[in-house]
Amino acid sequence: MKPRPRPWLRSHLVELALFLVVVLVASAGIVWARWAAPDEPLERIAIGAAQPDDARIRAITCERTLPDAVDAAEEEAEEEAAAPPLGRVQSSEVLACPDAFDQVVVDYVGEVVGDVLRRDGGAWLLVNDDAYALESGPLAAHDAHDGANQGLAVWLPTEFLDLVDEPGNASRRGDVIEVVGRIHRADPLDGGGLTLRASSAELVRDAEPAGAAINRPQALVAVLMTLAAFAVVAWGHRNGRLSVPGLRTRRRLSKRR
Amino acid sequence: MLLPPSADDLRATARTIGRVLAVQGAVTGVLAIAALLTGDVDSASALACGAALGIGFGALGRTVKARTRRLTWTRGVVAGVASLVAVALVASVPLWLSGHYAAWIDALFDAVSGLTTTGLTLVSDLDHLSPTLVVFRGTLEVAGGVGFLMLALSLLKSLAMMGSTMEPGHGGRERIIRAPTMLWREVRTVVGALLVAGIVGVAGSLALAGVPLAALPATTLALTASAATTGGFAPLTPSVGVYHSALLEAVLVVLMLGGAVSVWAHLHAQRLDQVRKDLDARVFVATLVAVVGGAVVGLAQAGTFSQVEALVRHGAFLAVASVTTSGLSTVSPRLLATDFGALATSALIFGMVVGGMSGSMASGPKSLRVGLLLKGLVGEVRRVLSPDNTVQASWFSHQGRRERLTDAHVRSAATILLLTLAAIPVAALALLWSDPSVGLSQAIFAASSIISNVGLDIGALRPSDPAATRLLATALMVLGRLEWLAVFAFVGTLVALVRDGRRLGRGPRRRRHHARPRSSGSPGDRVALSRDVTSDASSTRTPGGTA
């Protein structure tokens, strides 16, 4: 009588257990590396609170301007143009209710991020006023998550471009500027984009580095895991089970001999 | 009845996963070196961890020896789904270690979003993300786009037979008929040409838009990958709108359309008469025209834009982004929610629910299925109106062949479309439950975007949502991209494995007792045939048993 084959799972129990141990060790290393990251948030930028007492901000509602009311809105915009600036606004207020801010002159503070797109007569900037811009800085420096970024597209005339030296990126908080300008819900010069065209600007704070300290535990885990990976590749290659591009396996070599 | 995989099937699956992981690990390793050279040590170590996991586990998988090299439809799909899960798990590691994700689930969501070419993101502080990680997200989109294209084209015979991209032919045992090397040559030609043309076009338009030279490589690679693979990840939060360039938007529109057109149409572009007759191409073009028209008219009606340039630029771009399922955007998510009006939003939802052409890198239910369903409906109406003894036959042209429309075509198309439409309210309800401040139309828009793997963001899904909602969204992205039935096959195989795993023997050796191969083909054929025949014979007794 032919012996009954051993159940597959039982015969591979040792390999499966080893595999699970490797996965657990790798996971533990990754979790340790993640939680050992340096936590050094940048200094909060004191720019003063927005002006919630301004009667015009309170009066703003999110009712859309329908086509019939466009003319009336334009008339209102002309009246607004003669009025003094509305005061400091946040991008979240503008994005939540762009129609209400159309053609309104506002004061806006934020960090320049991304690229400075130089064109004739000025440059397009992305100016963020979220928590990463004005409070704790880029996430490379800390672990206080506050969702996605938020900001406005700002057109800065050439005479103010000297203010922006270093836009924000992964390793630094960019220059923080304060601009006064008019919001266009559908800017005709930008193909209908929501923009803020600055008429004046000033530098609030220079760019500063963020997350300068290297995450040493993460680097250590990376080195160990890389060594382990190459050990597995070398083992497979040595046993002739694994072909590595550019290298001949031992079995192939022995066949040639 | 679902048969459990044999030990040899498991070995073959492990080898496939190993190969895919090794490639992903090697690409991640190259990016880790690039990050190290640019002095970004933390990103380099995060990417090195991902590369080590990919290469290490990939090597382990590749050392497993399988006797059967040829896969059946079910086993091929199971290997594809398992590879997606494995790559997503490994790719989530560098993303999570970057520190830009509040929880690992968010990193997993982004990895799945990239691999399924969705483009939705739960990243925090994207605008300060390292350029190498931005490119890494782009590589996930390329891996996903090309991987799913290969998987879909492997089943080309089934596609022609059943009018679907991932539909089993006969009882799930039809062998994958296309040789991978031949397929790879076709895909490489089309995708390579698209990516090279995209890199040249996007780099040129970005340079003209004023992007500094230092930022050009990463931004170009990220945007090209995103548009050409219909992925949708953007380097900065405001997506494409941040570059204020009509030329760039035009180049991206061409790339998105290129990614959503089938490989067959690309390869037969010179034979326009055949392409014009193709049902898939016809429905795709008709959908595109309808959605662009609906979006432009809707935006004009809502008073969002009064200028023609703005109407066409934003309306057409978003319409193309929705139909091609790329999900790039020229406006912020909040504006999409507050400023776009009901008609434009509905047009975009319609575009998302139809999707791109089958056999392309686009996702969504696919225009071919909509075409088959419409033809079926017209045929049914004709049948009702005709005398009883009249025989009605409908024909359609697909990939250069004229085929008769059968009930199986219509049933297959209707199943996927119904599943997609049924999943939208489920996802919308989950989003409404997560955040009561989200409006109903916003939730339906976001749900369509998730399920059709579009990625147009309306601000309804956030990292602050409950973990259950984020996990549901992750699962729905996978379901949508794998077209439901593939995931059902995967889950069914897992269930069968757990149910019958204890009895799992050593595969082909054990089965020689039951049946001998009848064909005189290659050894691989004999093993596969033996397995199929034996499975049928043993299914009436103990599944996979030896008695």
Side-chain angles (χ1 to χ4, degrees), chain B residues 30 45 50 55 93 106 109 130 189 219 407 430 442 446 455 464 520:
Chain B
V30 171
S45 60
I55 292 171
V93 170
D106 298 345
F109 177 93
S130 153
T189 306
T219 312
D407 285 348
Q442 222 178 325
S464 55
S520 57

Side-chain angles (χ1 to χ4, degrees), chain B residues 25 53 76 106 116 125 147 171 304 312 327 388 473-474 524:
Chain B
L53 286 174
D106 298 345
T116 56
D125 195 14
T304 312
V312 173
D388 286 348
T474 309

Side-chain angles (χ1 to χ4, degrees), chain B residues 81-156:
Chain B
V81 180
S83 300
L84 169 71
V85 173
V87 172
L89 288 171
V90 168
S92 68
V93 170
L95 292 177
W96 189 52
L97 287 176
S98 72
H100 282 260
Y101 294 87
W104 173 73
I105 292 174
D106 298 345
L108 180 69
F109 177 93
D110 264 31
V112 170
S113 178
L115 288 166
T116 56
T117 64
T118 304
L120 283 168
T121 183
L122 291 177
V123 68
S124 302
D125 195 14
L126 172 66
D127 297 345
H128 289 115
L129 188 65
S130 153
T132 40
L133 285 164
V134 168
V135 176
F136 174 67
R137 284 163 30 114
T139 63
L140 293 181
E141 291 171 319
V142 175
V146 174
F148 282 113
L149 188 56
M150 289 284 287
L151 193 63
L153 291 177
S154 305
L155 310 162
L156 199 63

Side-chain angles (χ1 to χ4, degrees), chain B residues 381-466:
Chain B
V381 171
R382 272 190 193 159
R383 195 182 63 79
V384 169
L385 296 177
S386 306
D388 286 348
N389 54 356
T390 309
V391 177
Q392 294 281 347
S394 294
W395 295 82
F396 68 96
S397 175
H398 182 53
Q399 305 204 335
R401 280 180 300 192
R402 192 169 148 78
E403 299 196 29
R404 187 177 173 179
L405 186 73
T406 63
D407 285 348
H409 286 125
V410 180
R411 197 172 53 240
S412 163
T415 304
I416 303 296
L417 279 168
L418 278 175
L419 283 169
T420 304
L421 291 175
I424 289 174
V426 174
L429 282 174
L431 291 169
L432 288 171
W433 167 73
S434 305
D435 185 357
S437 68
V438 172
L440 180 64
S441 61
Q442 222 178 325
I444 291 173
F445 188 98
S448 310
S449 183
I450 292 167
I451 290 156
S452 294
N453 304 105
V454 178
L456 271 177
D457 188 10
I458 201 164
L461 188 68
R462 280 168 284 201
S464 55
D465 285 338

Side-chain angles (χ1 to χ4, degrees), chain B residues 321-401:
Chain B
S322 69
V323 178
T324 60
T325 69
S326 81
L328 288 168
S329 178
T330 51
V331 296
S332 88
R334 287 302 298 265
L335 284 181
L336 211 56
T338 58
D339 242 35
F340 265 53
L343 181 59
T345 312
S346 305
L348 296 181
I349 291 174
F350 174 70
M352 291 193 278
V353 171
V354 174
M357 286 174 74
S358 59
S360 72
M361 284 185 280
S363 35
K366 305 278 164 43
S367 45
L368 177 63
R369 288 202 180 96
V370 176
L372 289 172
L373 198 64
L374 287 176
K375 273 211 165 270
L377 278 173
V378 171
E380 194 62 19
V381 171
R382 272 190 193 159
R383 195 182 63 79
V384 169
L385 296 177
S386 306
D388 286 348
N389 54 356
T390 309
V391 177
Q392 294 281 347
S394 294
W395 295 82
F396 68 96
S397 175
H398 182 53
Q399 305 204 335
R401 280 180 300 192

